[in-house]
Amino acid sequence: MCLTDRKILYYLRTVHIDTTRYGLGLTKFIEMREKMGLFRTRKQNHDVESIWPAMIRLRTQYPQAGAREMVSLLFHEESMAVSRRIVTSYFALYKPELVQQWHAQRLHRKRWWAAGVNDIIAVDQHDKWKYKFGLGLHTSIDPFAGKIHWLKVWHTNSNPKLILSYYLESIENLGSMPLVTQSDPGSENFGLTNGHTFLCHYHDPALQGTLQHCWMHSKKNLRQRFTPGFEDILERGINEDFYHPDHTIEAFVISYIIKYFLLINRCNSMVFQWVFIPWLQSELDGYKD
């Protein structure tokens, strides 16, 4: 996330600096930051034209991202501090059809209630890649804070033990667990439901006999943001006959150039997953963080 100078300084003093021996003030911190070439939005002084190359690169991978998300992507992936006003102006100038499409959605505001952070986490899966590429996505988010707890890719997202392992890894890293979990009624979520409920009963015996999970029967699509861009990358290899994830008998990819000859053999599904799962997971981790 993009923190203010005061918040960064507070974090440094709290976690990294022994304040009984050393001191660091806001003015000195800003001076040190600028000596390192790390400038804020005003001093970077970007305009629509200066962000154009970076926007082209990012829009290839995140074609559905809106202005607010593009500000975050520019900061984390291109090291560019850009105001939302500049990004909005870029869309108005170069992508007016997207602005019109956004206005045409006519979103309806609804009230949603939560006690606070970590009151509830919602989990969901994305199955379309499983049938096209043999890759299953799974995610969890705290809707109150907007924090993504995990965003995983594997050759399946239907194994209850696998989904439970995502949850256990998440609460171990956070050092806390939510009051309630939420998902659709798919059987892949039974392990998470039972595991979370067991932990709640263990820590609070008064909850015995209750289910600490909320089943949601209405489904929403997970693909709005980053999946179309990655689909284009994966489908390009299929269209150009570089690989076929559904071919399980054909040999490993061996590609080499000898003068004017390029020999490419198709890869089996295991090799496809071995190549693309680590790459996709690193991209998803970057998106989550």
Side-chain angles (χ1 to χ4, degrees):
M1 66 180 67
C2 182
L3 300 178
T4 64
D5 288 332
R6 292 185 183 277
K7 288 184 178 181
I8 295 173
L9 183 59
Y10 173 79
Y11 182 77
L12 290 174
R13 286 173 171 171
T14 305
V15 179
H16 295 287
I17 297 178
D18 183 358
T19 55
T20 62
R21 301 179 58 189
Y22 306 101
L24 179 62
L26 181 62
T27 303
K28 185 63 178 179
F29 169 74
I30 294 175
E31 180 183 341
M32 293 170 60
R33 174 175 59 75
E34 292 184 350
K35 282 183 179 180
M36 297 171 64
L38 303 174
F39 297 102
R40 288 292 185 180
T41 304
R42 183 174 297 177
K43 288 200 173 182
Q44 287 197 18
N45 196 29
H46 285 292
D47 56 23
V48 172
E49 298 302 324
S50 65
I51 69 171
W52 182 82
M55 290 290 287
I56 294 297
R57 289 191 296 269
L58 291 173
R59 295 298 295 175
T60 301
Q61 196 162 341
Y62 303 95
Q64 302 284 342
R68 182 179 300 176
E69 190 170 356
M70 288 306 302
V71 170
S72 177
L73 290 170
L74 286 167
F75 182 81
H76 289 98
E77 301 201 14
E78 298 288 340
S79 300
M80 299 172 67
V82 184
S83 69
R84 188 176 176 183
R85 176 180 59 82
I86 297 298
V87 175
T88 303
S89 298
Y90 171 89
F91 280 120
L93 181 62
Y94 292 107
K95 300 289 181 180
E97 70 282 359
L98 294 181
V99 177
Q100 184 177 3
Q101 181 182 353
W102 178 78
H103 285 297
Q105 288 180 352
R106 299 176 182 175
L107 301 178
H108 296 283
R109 201 177 280 271
K110 290 187 177 181
R111 180 172 294 180
W112 180 84
W113 185 90
V117 176
N118 228 20
D119 174 45
I120 184 172
I121 64 167
V123 304
D124 196 13
Q125 65 276 350
H126 179 66
D127 292 330
K128 291 183 173 60
W129 280 12
K130 187 161 58 176
Y131 306 125
K132 294 178 68 174
F133 309 114
L135 303 171
L137 287 171
H138 200 273
T139 187
S140 170
I141 187 171
D142 182 336
F144 182 87
K147 176 178 175 58
I148 300 175
H149 284 236
W150 70 76
L151 190 52
K152 300 288 189 179
V153 60
W154 195 239
H155 59 81
T156 181
N157 56 9
S158 303
N159 187 332
K161 293 181 180 179
L162 178 66
I163 306 307
L164 175 60
S165 73
Y166 293 160
Y167 171 75
L168 295 176
E169 179 187 10
S170 173
I171 63 175
E172 183 178 11
N173 293 335
L174 289 172
S176 62
M177 57 186 287
L179 297 178
V180 179
T181 52
Q182 175 181 295
S183 72
D184 62 57
S187 60
E188 67 277 357
N189 298 312
F190 289 176
L192 180 150
T193 302
N194 294 330
H196 172 71
T197 299
F198 170 81
L199 290 174
C200 289
H201 292 174
Y202 176 81
H203 289 288
D204 186 357
L207 294 174
Q208 291 289 340
T210 65
L211 180 67
Q212 298 303 111
H213 185 86
C214 181
W215 299 109
M216 301 298 292
H217 295 275
S218 60
K219 297 185 178 181
K220 299 295 182 182
N221 206 331
L222 181 66
R223 57 177 282 123
Q224 291 300 320
R225 287 289 182 265
F226 53 85
T227 52
F230 286 109
E231 285 179 10
D232 291 342
I233 295 173
L234 295 174
E235 286 182 344
R236 178 182 176 185
I238 295 175
N239 294 335
E240 296 185 9
D241 207 32
F242 288 160
Y243 49 76
H244 288 268
D246 56 341
H247 286 192
T248 57
I249 301 178
E250 296 174 3
F252 177 71
V253 166
I254 304 174
S255 60
Y256 59 93
I257 300 177
I258 304 177
K259 293 184 179 179
Y260 304 103
F261 298 96
L262 173 65
L263 302 179
I264 300 178
N265 292 328
R266 295 173 178 173
C267 64
N268 60 34
S269 61
M270 294 297 291
V271 173
F272 174 85
Q273 293 164 359
W274 180 77
V275 170
F276 283 102
I277 285 179
W279 171 69
L280 283 170
Q281 189 60 64
S282 66
E283 294 291 326
L284 295 175
D285 289 342
Y287 181 87
K288 176 179 76 72
D289 298 335

